[in-house]
Amino acid sequence: MRDIVTLGCTECKQRNYTTTKNKKNTPQKLEFKKYCRFCRTHTIHRETK
């Protein structure tokens, strides 16, 4: 039931993290504040395709 999704930085558009989510419980896109090694700062990472 859980699907693997990729998280991408909203600043530089690099895809840095992967995680899983249950699409039945959370149909909207995931959004976390995580560290981006390309920007060298904490930025918002949003679910990408």
Side-chain angles (χ1 to χ4, degrees), residues 9-16 36 38-39 43:
C9 178
T10 55
E11 301 291 322
C12 66
K13 308 297 189 222
Q14 292 283 334
R15 293 180 176 150
N16 302 324
C36 177
F38 301 100
C39 299
T43 59

Side-chain angles (χ1 to χ4, degrees), residues 1-2 4-5 17-18 20-21 25 27-28 30 32-35 37-38 43-44 49:
M1 188 53 88
R2 297 185 72 80
I4 297 173
V5 295
Y17 296 96
T18 58
T20 61
K21 80 168 190 175
N25 294 339
Q28 67 276 13
L30 292 178
F32 297 111
K33 190 164 188 179
K34 297 181 80 60
Y35 181 77
R37 62 189 176 120
F38 301 100
T43 59
I44 295 179
K49 290 186 176 183

